[in-house]
Every structure is written in structure tokens, then in C-alpha cells.
């Protein structure tokens, strides 16, 4: 287990989701935070129909759900995603990746963020967007970002902050390209900074059990697998740690520097 200096961020060796997720969340002090919560929103990365490590495995989210319920037994727990795939809708991906079966078995809610009610968030210091429309549920819940760690062709890497692109409603941000969040792609780095000005995760768990070395939609898996989980209350610090795991200099990635 490796704490990151000056932050509530840690990395733990991955053995299994059942064992390593609770260890990572314990190490970053998640239990104490969760005791206060009434509604918890868990945001995996289900960008398309590709299996892990392109997408967050249901086993990872299941371990997070069980941890939340152990420490906040009265809280409502919802798994929420707004997929980017233009050919599929989020409920299809919940089914493809096994989240619907888990939901039915465990009584966990599923929310399609692409069709959720949104609120306007003013962003006067925005570089690209002076306002953003974001799901009301994400703004009013304790938000856990649960991405898989992978390189990205435009953002350099996908981690906790990049994962929040799933919050963006396609009716406002899906124009001008082949993805449901296309408006963010033209100036990706600055757009991600704008998003982080409006909403950051309250808690992060990055699944770096495998890792993708080249591209967020495929390419080489990390060899050997990274075999690590990163957790913390500082999403930026978690993402910087993830960049280092991928062999990237976070100082050269504009939205992380």
C-alpha cells in the first residue's frame, strides 16, 4: 500500500475486487465519509460494449456497492452512466456488461445519465464552456468515480476526471461528431478543465488491475498487468498517480498539470 504525500490518496496491490476494493477504500478514509451520506451515485466507465479493461467490470462496482452499504446502510445507492457510443443506449450497455442482473439481484438502482434531468451550472472562468448542463442527480449525490485506467487519444489518459464526461447530456453535447459527447472533443483538455471546475468526484476508485497502454477503446493491455487499485478523495491526485502508472508524465497533460 502506497500513500501519496499530502493527499488522502493511496494505491493497493490488486488481488481480487472482493479483497482489494475494501482495502483501498479503507486506506483513503472512505468509511468515515460514507457514514454521513444519504444518496451515493457510483459512476463506472461503460463507454461502449467492449469488455474490460475498456470498461469497468461489474465485479468492481459490486465491491464498491457492498462497501458503501456496509458503511452507509441507510443510503440509497445508484449506479449511473451516460454512454458515449452513438449506436447504443445506456440501458443496452448495462445489460451487456451484467449491471442489470446485478441491479436486480442486489436491489441497486440504475440511472441513464444521458436522459436524466439536468441543471445549469455557471462556469464564469470557463475556457470553452461558460456554463454546463449536468445531471441533477450527480450534483445532489455523493459521487464516486470508478473508471478503468487507460491511455486516451485526445485526453492522454482516462481516469477519474475524464470519466465524468459521462455526465454530459447528448442533446446538448452530442453535436458535431460520431460520439454522444462530441462537443467536448474539439478542445478536450480545456473542456475537461471546465468540467472539473463544475463537478469533481467526492471519492475515486481507479481500476488499474490491467490497464490499457495505447488507446481508450482497445490496443495493447499493459504487460505485465498493473495489478493496482488507486483510491482517494482527491481526484486530481488519483489521476496523476494513474498517469505515472501508465508511464506518462502528468505535468505534460494539460488537464492534470
Amino acid at each position: 500500500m502506497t500513500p501519496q504525500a499530502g493527499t488522502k490518496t493511496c494505491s493497493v496491490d490488486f488481488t481480487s475486487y472482493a479483497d482489494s476494493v475494501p482495502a483501498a477504500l479503507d486506506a483513503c478514509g472512505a468509511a468515515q465519509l460514507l457514514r454521513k451520506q444519504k444518496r451515493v451515485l457510483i459512476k463506472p466507465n461503460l463507454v461502449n460494449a467492449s469488455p474490460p479493461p475498456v470498461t469497468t467490470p461489474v465485479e468492481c462496482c459490486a465491491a464498491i456497492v457492498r462497501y458503501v452499504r456496509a458503511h452507509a446502510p441507510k443510503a440509497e445507492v445508484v449506479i449511473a452512466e451516460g454512454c458515449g457510443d452513438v449506436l447504443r443506449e445506456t440501458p443496452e450497455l448495462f445489460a451487456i456488461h451484467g449491471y442489470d442482473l446485478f441491479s436486480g439481484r442486489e436491489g441497486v438502482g440504475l440511472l441513464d445519465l444521458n436522459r436524466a434531468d439536468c441543471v445549469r451550472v455557471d462556469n464564469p472562468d470557463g475556457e470553452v464552456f461558460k456554463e454546463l448542463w449536468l445531471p441533477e442527480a450527480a450534483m445532489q449525490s455523493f459521487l464516486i468515480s470508478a473508471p478503468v485506467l487507460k491511455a486516451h487519444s485526445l485526453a492522454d489518459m482516462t481516469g477519474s476526471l475524464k470519466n465524468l464526461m459521462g455526465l454530459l447530456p447528448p442533446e446538448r453535447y452530442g453535436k458535431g461528431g460520431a460520439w454522444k459527447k462530441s462537443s467536448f472533443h474539439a478542445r478536450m483538455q480545456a473542456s475537461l478543465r471546465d468540467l472539473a471546475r463544475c463537478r469533481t468526484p467526492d471519492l475515486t476508485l481507479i481500476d488499474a488491475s490491467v490497464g490499457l497502454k495505447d488507446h481508450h477503446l482497445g490496443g495493447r493491455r499493459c504487460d505485465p498487468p498493473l495489478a493496482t487499485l488507486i483510491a482517494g478523495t482527491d481526484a486530481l491526485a488519483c489521476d496523476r498517480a494513474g498517469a505515472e502508472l501508465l508511464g506518462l508524465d502528468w505535468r505534460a497533460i494539460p488537464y492534470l498539470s
Side-chain angles (χ1 to χ4, degrees), residues 18-134:
D19 292 334
S20 301
V21 167
L25 294 176
D26 278 344
C28 72
Q32 184 176 358
L33 285 175
L34 287 167
R35 291 190 189 103
K36 308 172 186 177
Q37 307 309 320
K38 296 180 179 179
R39 190 167 196 254
V40 176
L41 209 67
I42 301 170
K43 167 65 177 70
N45 186 333
L46 305 179
V47 62
N48 63 15
S50 299
V54 174
T55 50
T56 306
V58 67
E59 295 84 1
C60 180
C61 273
I64 297 172
V65 167
R66 289 165 186 149
Y67 186 91
V68 171
R69 284 183 162 169
H71 297 284
K74 295 183 179 180
E76 179 187 4
V77 183
V78 176
I79 296 174
E81 175 60 299
C83 75
D85 193 334
V86 73
L87 299 177
R88 296 183 185 274
E89 297 298 329
T90 306
E92 294 180 76
L93 296 185
F94 281 143
I96 288 168
H97 294 298
Y99 282 78
D100 59 342
L101 293 177
F102 173 74
S103 169
R105 186 171 63 247
E106 301 287 338
V108 177
L110 296 178
L111 176 63
D112 180 1
L113 294 172
N114 285 344
R115 299 184 180 278
D117 292 337
C118 290
V119 294
R120 188 184 72 186
V121 182
D122 290 330
N123 187 31
D125 295 326
E127 300 166 66
V128 183
F129 300 97
K130 297 298 183 183
E131 65 178 27
L132 284 174
W133 289 85
L134 299 174

